[in-house]
């Protein structure tokens, strides 16, 4: 059966996540506008820095700070290649954290569809204040029946 657009782009986000180089979580993000993929990103070390899979994670608190988050990498790809993200929808395997939410807001993303929860109350407040819709993919599936 042919998937709907949300299912299609969420499947691609999950495929993108397989490129992750941080063993703590495989996260993928696809930025889309008018049913066209603009950029993708997965969590991994910055260019020129050894990946977690090569040297281990660098933990501060309970977070790996060696890896750049998938959403941030997707935004960086837009900047690096001159691709405007204004009006885009982000399809993310995980709900964006506060820092990634701020990047997506500033990049002009208007909607975020995420699969797995990563509850961050501050991220939710900022997204709502900026008028960025954040919808869990499972809720979309349930609404379609």
């Amino acid at each position: 059966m042919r998937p709907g657009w949300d299912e299609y782009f969420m499947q691609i986000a999950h495929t993108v996540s397989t490129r992750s180089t941080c063993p703590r979580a495989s996260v993928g993000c696809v930025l889309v506008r008018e049913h066209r993929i603009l950029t993708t990103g997965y969590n991994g070390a910055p260019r020129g820095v050894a990946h977690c899979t090569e040297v281990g994670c660098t933990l501060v608190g309970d977070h790996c700070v060696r890896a750049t988050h998938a959403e941030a990498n997707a935004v960086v790809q837009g900047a690096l290649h001159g691709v405007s993200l204004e009006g885009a929808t982000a399809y993310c395997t995980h709900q964006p954290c506060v820092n990634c939410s701020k990047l997506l807001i500033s990049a002009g993303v208007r909607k975020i569809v995420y699969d797995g929860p990563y509850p961050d109350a501050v991220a939710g407040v900022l997204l709502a204040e900026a008028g960025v819709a954040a919808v869990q993919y499972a809720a979309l599936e349930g609404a379609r029946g």
Side-chain angles (χ1 to χ4, degrees):
M1 181 192 262
R2 185 176 187 209
W5 288 112
D6 289 332
E7 182 180 2
Y8 175 71
F9 290 122
M10 191 58 72
Q11 286 175 357
I12 293 170
H14 279 281
T15 298
V16 169
S17 77
T18 66
R19 293 280 303 154
S20 170
T21 60
C22 182
R24 294 176 53 77
S26 294
V27 182
C29 177
V30 178
L31 295 174
V32 174
R33 186 176 51 239
E34 297 175 4
H35 306 299
R36 304 264 187 253
I37 295 173
L38 302 171
T39 64
T40 65
Y42 54 87
N43 56 325
R47 183 188 306 197
V49 175
H51 291 287
C52 299
T53 52
E54 299 166 341
V55 297
C57 295
T58 303
L59 298 179
V60 173
D62 193 32
H63 291 78
C64 177
V65 295
R66 175 170 290 279
T68 302
H69 288 188
E71 301 89 342
N73 273 326
V75 170
V76 166
Q77 288 303 308
L80 190 62
H81 298 289
V83 177
S84 171
L85 304 176
E86 185 70 37
T89 296
Y91 288 88
C92 307
T93 59
H94 296 68
Q95 184 177 2
C97 70
V98 66
N99 289 322
C100 289
S101 293
K102 291 187 290 186
L103 288 172
L104 294 170
I105 290 166
S106 293
V109 170
R110 300 309 306 153
K111 182 178 180 182
I112 299 168
V113 178
Y114 62 91
D115 204 358
Y118 182 88
D120 186 324
V122 176
V125 168
L126 293 177
L127 291 167
E129 185 177 335
V132 176
V135 183
Q136 189 166 13
Y137 177 66
L140 293 174
E141 284 296 295
R144 284 186 233 164

